[in-house]
Amino acid sequence: MTAFDLTNKVAIITGGGSGIGEQISRVFSEAGADVRIFEFNAEAGEAVAASIRANGGKATSYSGDVSQQSEMVRLCNEIAEATGHIDILINNAGVAHIGKLHDTNEADFDRIYAVNIKGVYNVMFAVIRHMMKQKSGVIINMGSIASLVGLPERFAYSTSKGAVELMTYTVARDYLEYNIRCNSIAPARVHTPFVDNYLSTNYPGQEKEMFEKLSKTQPIGRMAKPVEIANLARYLCSEEASFITGTNIPIDGGFVKLNT
């Protein structure tokens, strides 16, 4: 048997159309999963799903807004009815915000709350009864080192990731009897299109210099690659990780422990 095998596992991946979510979608497909992408950007989600199918994998994309509970319940019910099971949820969809408390207005905070906190809750709420019924399942919530250390100018974002970490622990505790495991992954900086867009917007003409500066904030000397986060998620969803639940796993190039 292939290590970290996910053959025939139905895996819902929110925000699966770009960045870390895209790589999780691709890595899970390569591991044999039936990938179900939930993506606010419908074109991006379908492009990833089509690419996976073109390479012989199973993937379907759904246009959806994680901040809308009724929408998430409808989609998850449709998938459960069509397949008979939902085995994995990767709660990856999220938005960022840069700012201190006095720079964070109510609209900024509400947006972070709606996606990063309520969105995580909404999709877990939508899948948990299906996992309870089948007495199995794995949930991975995408956290951040922002829940572990005080990052500058990340007030709202850090708040949201702290909530994600605590939701992870309570879900892991509450559903032990149903053989449902719940963990979170806490990355440091990951080189995604978001980083490139941030640098080009805020540091035009200085992108290379600033990229190197940000990379070196990780003691290991570089940012993570999205596929490295995806490989950790694959392991945590596999049978090889069946003894792991209720934990938040940093994947941070030494940031948390070696910078303090």
Side-chain angles (χ1 to χ4, degrees):
M1 188 179 70
T2 303
F4 317 135
D5 184 50
L6 302 178
T7 299
N8 297 325
K9 300 290 186 181
V10 175
I12 293 172
I13 302 167
T14 70
S18 65
I20 294 171
E22 176 181 350
Q23 286 303 311
I24 293 175
S25 298
R26 294 185 185 280
V27 165
F28 277 37
S29 172
E30 291 167 4
D34 179 354
V35 171
R36 305 296 175 123
I37 296 170
F38 287 8
E39 179 57 65
F40 187 76
N41 183 334
E43 290 184 4
E46 181 51 40
V48 173
S51 175
I52 290 172
R53 293 193 298 268
N55 284 284
K58 294 180 180 179
T60 308
S61 183
Y62 304 81
S63 175
D65 181 351
V66 297
S67 71
Q68 302 301 309
Q69 186 175 108
S70 61
E71 202 171 312
M72 294 299 101
V73 169
R74 176 179 59 81
L75 291 176
C76 290
N77 287 349
E78 287 178 7
I79 292 169
E81 184 175 349
T83 66
H85 52 109
I86 296 175
D87 304 291
I88 296 167
L89 166 62
I90 307 294
N91 251 324
N92 169 76
V95 292
H97 179 262
I98 297 172
K100 300 178 182 180
L101 170 60
H102 70 275
D103 299 319
T104 305
N105 62 40
E106 187 174 18
D108 293 331
F109 196 88
D110 286 348
R111 175 172 173 266
I112 290 290
Y113 172 84
V115 178
N116 292 8
I117 299 178
K118 193 180 177 201
V120 170
Y121 151 70
N122 283 341
V123 194
M124 287 198 293
F125 180 87
V127 304
I128 198 67
R129 285 178 176 80
H130 300 294
M131 291 182 173
M132 291 170 67
K133 183 178 180 181
Q134 67 200 28
K135 293 189 180 301
S136 65
V138 182
I139 297 172
I140 303 294
N141 295 322
M142 195 58 62
S144 168
I145 58 165
S147 70
L148 301 172
V149 296
L151 296 179
E153 299 184 345
R154 296 295 189 278
F155 171 74
Y157 183 76
S158 296
T159 299
S160 71
K161 293 304 181 180
V164 168
E165 183 177 349
L166 269 295
M167 282 193 284
T168 297
Y169 298 154
T170 57
V171 169
R173 165 59 68 181
D174 287 343
Y175 297 96
L176 287 168
E177 65 181 292
Y178 295 96
N179 193 33
I180 297 169
R181 296 190 294 110
C182 185
N183 295 293
S184 55
I185 294 174
R189 284 196 173 96
V190 183
H191 187 193
T192 63
F194 172 83
V195 172
D196 294 332
N197 291 336
Y198 169 76
L199 293 177
S200 63
T201 300
N202 293 280
Y203 301 98
Q206 299 177 285
E207 290 91 343
K208 183 178 180 181
E209 175 186 346
M210 291 304 299
F211 181 82
E212 291 177 358
K213 182 178 179 180
L214 293 177
S215 296
K216 289 177 181 176
T217 60
Q218 280 76 216
I220 208 167
R222 65 173 177 85
M223 296 186 194
K225 302 172 185 176
V227 70
E228 292 173 313
I229 314 302
N231 286 334
L232 176 56
R234 175 180 173 178
Y235 165 67
L236 289 173
C237 291
S238 71
E239 285 302 310
E240 285 86 343
S242 61
F243 198 59
I244 302 175
T245 194
T247 192
N248 182 45
I249 301 179
I251 177 167
D252 65 352
F255 187 94
V256 172
K257 295 297 185 180
L258 304 184
N259 266 343
T260 56

